[in-house]
Amino acid sequence: MTGGSGEGDDAAAVPAPRAADAGWANGCAVFYRDAEGSLQVLSLEPLASVTIGRDSGCDLRIRWDESVSRVHAELVRVGLHWAVVDDGLSRNGTFLNGERVSGRRRLHDGDTLVLGDTSFSFRDVRAGTSQLTSVQAEVLTTASLSPTQRSILTALCRPYRNQSAYATPASNLEIAGELFLSVDAVKTQLRTLFQKFHIEDLPQNQKRAKLVERAFALGLVTQRDL
């Protein structure tokens, strides 16, 4: 990570990310997991912009993720708010809550950004809802899941290949058949996944669809996997 934007004495220096703790920010911040899976936080106060990419000149350098472009995207302050900008520089695109960003999109508390295989959670304590515990739950990576859980999650999402508008999550029987597991084993692993994603309290008929939605939004499953 660089020490600043290099545009002169008026440019605010970009602070180094640090391990997340209860006093993580006074305003807006982004959370993500580093190469070792540790939760990191970058406070956006009082910055004007943050470039993200693998290049050594980027403010937030994601050097371990080869799916991230050298200069991938930028976070910019717009008045009292923040926006993400991807104007076509990135090879694999930037996704906001599962939708590809074209140009500039405003960020809201709790939004999820996915760049390459790395997910970020945007938080705004001014909204009065941000809690570190919920951030930790939302910034999941493939390293947070066992190989079996990753396989089940992918199989659950497989009907959504080609982004079919009429797709529904795979059934327990379909997942079991694909992965050569018992139906009971699939049910047990899905219950664990519901807990990991903090959706266990949803109505039973909503859990599977929400799990698919979160898997795509966090970049844990992509169309390439299906």
Side-chain angles (χ1 to χ4, degrees):
M1 171 177 266
T2 63
S5 65
E7 295 179 352
D9 295 338
D10 292 336
V14 176
R18 58 187 175 84
D21 56 42
W24 52 268
N26 295 319
C28 299
V30 288
F31 286 79
Y32 64 98
R33 294 192 184 275
D34 61 21
E36 287 71 43
S38 298
L39 187 65
Q40 302 291 326
V41 58
L42 174 64
S43 174
L44 298 177
E45 308 297 334
L47 306 176
S49 66
V50 176
T51 53
I52 308 175
R54 286 190 296 111
D55 192 88
S56 60
C58 289
D59 299 317
L60 182 51
R61 189 182 182 193
I62 313 299
R63 60 185 180 278
W64 61 87
D65 188 344
E66 292 296 324
S67 298
V68 171
S69 298
R70 294 180 64 84
V71 179
H72 195 110
E74 185 178 19
L75 303 179
V76 296
R77 184 187 295 276
V78 183
L80 297 177
H81 306 287
W82 280 85
V84 59
V85 180
D86 186 336
D87 56 6
L89 285 178
S90 67
R91 180 179 68 251
N92 295 319
T94 299
F95 293 83
L96 173 61
N97 300 328
E99 297 183 2
R100 186 160 185 161
V101 173
S102 178
R104 175 183 294 188
R105 292 280 299 277
R106 179 182 166 185
L107 296 174
H108 299 86
D109 181 51
D111 279 349
T112 296
L113 287 167
V114 175
L115 284 67
D117 293 323
T118 304
S119 61
F120 303 79
S121 180
F122 174 80
R123 287 299 184 172
D124 182 355
V125 295
R126 297 170 303 180
T129 59
S130 292
Q131 298 292 333
L132 180 59
T133 52
S134 63
V135 171
Q136 289 173 321
E138 290 171 7
V139 189
L140 290 169
T141 69
T142 54
S144 309
L145 308 175
S146 71
T148 299
Q149 289 167 355
R150 291 199 298 270
S151 296
I152 288 176
L153 195 58
T154 301
L156 181 74
C157 297
R158 201 171 304 284
Y160 292 81
R161 60 182 173 272
N162 302 323
Q163 300 178 328
S164 171
Y166 302 101
T168 58
S171 69
N172 292 340
L173 187 60
E174 290 170 331
I175 296 171
E178 176 180 335
L179 301 179
F180 301 101
L181 297 171
S182 69
V183 171
D184 284 342
V186 172
K187 289 180 178 179
T188 298
Q189 293 294 338
L190 281 173
R191 282 195 294 268
T192 301
L193 287 168
F194 294 152
Q195 292 171 354
K196 281 180 176 285
F197 284 80
H198 288 253
I199 58 175
E200 68 271 24
D201 293 331
L202 287 179
Q204 193 64 35
N205 62 348
Q206 297 179 20
K207 289 180 182 179
R208 301 167 73 87
K210 178 59 71 172
L211 186 55
V212 169
E213 176 187 319
R214 296 294 294 154
F216 281 124
L218 290 169
L220 299 175
V221 176
T222 69
Q223 286 294 321
R224 295 194 300 271
D225 300 321
L226 306 180

